Amino acid sequence: NLTLVLSLNNIKSIEPGAFAGIHLAELALRSAFESSMMQTSLQGLAGLQVSRLIVGVFNDDDREQDFEKGLLDGLCQVQMEEFVLICLRDFEDDTDTLFDCVGNVSTIRLVDLGLEQISQVPVGSKVKQLECKKCGFDDVPAMKLSLFKELRVLRITKNRSLKTFEQKFEGLSNLEVIDLSENRLTFSRCCSRQFRNCPNLKHLNLSFNSYIRLTGDFNNVENLLYLDLQHTTLFGPGSYPVFLSLQRLIYLDISHTKTEVKFQCTFCGLNS
């Protein structure tokens, strides 16, 4: 259960095999390398078994690290349950190597990255939880994310440039939780259109966004138990029964949404 923190060092290299056979609860490598030495040094982690691996820099560190093709190739020989990549700025146009060596990790967290699009998803990916926080998306990358067939929990939060939701999630039969809170989303026809063949979706968080129009079409997400829309300007609720098909819903938050109840049957259908 040892946690090893090597952050804020100036590591020039890691000898191949230095971590072979070692078991760690966590290994932190933030601002630990000279910029040009990260890729080579990560290859020295071969044989490591670790519950959580944290790689990246601190956002106030002068040693900025860009993502280059093959940067994480050294992690192909590392066994880990959770991978955190944090504070990498510029991604090359070809970012298809991002998931090459971490596609079988159960949990991936991408935090404060200059990532504008999701990289190529390896066939047979085993990722069950994925978080993209403070990234550079302008549209919800639902098409690429739908290739993570084992995905159960998805969080895309605090993306200042994320304003549109044009793509559709499709075929994610294991998906239970989607958190799209604290972005700047504006979209209409919520929410059946955005989710196709996602029958087990139970938690949907769209709070702290810009404008969302609810049409009452929740047919593709009728098994929802939790719907959070707080602090997002809503169009639809209060004028007609938009929640009619959400028979199983047990939590609904429409506080601070500028909703004015004018219709007697506003909450019809919410029998749970």
Side-chain angles (χ1 to χ4, degrees):
N1 294 323
L2 178 67
T3 293
L4 180 59
V5 179
L6 296 176
S7 301
L8 293 173
N9 275 292
N10 194 26
I11 298 173
K12 291 179 169 53
S13 66
I14 296 177
E15 183 177 342
F19 283 87
I22 292 179
H23 298 250
L24 295 174
E26 181 176 306
L27 174 60
L29 294 167
R30 293 185 66 183
S31 298
F33 309 104
E34 291 184 358
S35 178
S36 59
M37 301 309 299
M38 178 181 284
Q39 182 172 351
T40 303
S41 297
L42 290 178
Q43 294 174 358
L45 300 181
L48 171 67
Q49 295 184 41
V50 59
S51 296
R52 177 188 294 158
L53 176 62
I54 304 173
V55 175
V57 299
F58 288 98
N59 56 15
D60 58 352
D61 190 18
D62 293 335
R63 291 174 290 180
E64 291 188 0
Q65 174 69 52
D66 296 338
F67 188 94
E68 301 172 352
K69 189 174 183 179
L71 180 68
L72 304 178
D73 284 357
L75 302 184
C76 285
Q77 303 302 318
V78 176
Q79 295 183 39
M80 52 186 155
E81 298 175 12
E82 179 178 350
F83 176 61
V84 182
L85 187 64
I86 186 166
C87 286
L88 269 63
R89 293 302 174 213
D90 294 327
F91 279 66
E92 294 181 351
D93 292 338
D94 181 5
T95 61
D96 285 347
T97 63
L98 175 57
F99 295 114
D100 282 4
C101 291
V102 296
N104 289 324
V105 178
S106 179
T107 301
I108 295 178
R109 297 183 63 229
L110 307 175
V111 182
D112 202 2
L113 302 183
L115 184 65
E116 297 180 356
Q117 59 183 351
I118 291 291
S119 302
Q120 188 66 37
V121 178
V123 176
S125 168
K126 302 299 183 184
V127 177
K128 292 181 173 59
Q129 297 189 47
L130 177 62
E131 178 180 3
C132 303
K133 180 179 179 181
K134 295 183 179 180
C135 292
F137 308 134
D138 53 18
D139 187 16
V140 178
M143 291 180 61
K144 280 281 187 71
L145 292 172
S146 293
L147 298 175
F148 287 103
K149 294 303 181 182
E150 299 294 320
L151 201 62
R152 295 177 183 272
V153 178
L154 173 64
R155 303 185 190 281
I156 303 177
T157 61
K158 297 187 177 181
N159 293 267
R160 293 183 178 180
S161 59
L162 185 54
K163 299 180 180 179
T164 60
F165 195 167
E166 297 295 334
Q167 301 179 32
K168 303 174 182 64
F169 290 100
E170 188 161 2
L172 292 175
S173 59
N174 297 310
L175 187 64
E176 296 182 2
V177 177
I178 287 189
D179 183 353
L180 297 173
S181 62
E182 297 185 75
N183 298 301
R184 296 183 177 179
L185 287 173
T186 296
F187 65 99
S188 59
R189 297 173 63 191
C190 179
C191 290
S192 194
R193 175 181 174 273
Q194 289 79 19
F195 304 98
R196 295 182 177 177
N197 298 319
C198 303
N200 290 310
L201 185 62
K202 296 179 175 63
H203 295 253
L204 178 59
N205 189 347
L206 293 167
S207 63
F208 292 91
N209 277 288
S210 296
Y211 303 93
I212 297 177
R213 181 179 294 276
L214 303 180
T215 62
D217 183 3
F218 288 95
N219 292 334
N220 288 340
V221 291
E222 59 186 9
N223 290 321
L224 276 180
L225 300 177
Y226 176 105
L227 179 59
D228 192 348
L229 297 162
Q230 63 176 301
H231 290 274
T232 298
T233 300
L234 299 179
F235 297 94
S239 301
Y240 51 95
V242 296
F243 305 115
L244 196 60
S245 60
L246 296 178
Q247 302 284 329
R248 301 183 180 181
L249 200 70
I250 59 176
Y251 178 91
L252 172 66
D253 193 337
I254 56 171
S255 60
H256 304 281
T257 58
K258 298 183 181 179
T259 296
E260 184 178 353
V261 177
K262 300 178 180 178
F263 182 64
Q264 187 175 3
C265 206
T266 294
F267 300 107
C268 286
L270 300 179
N271 301 321
S272 296

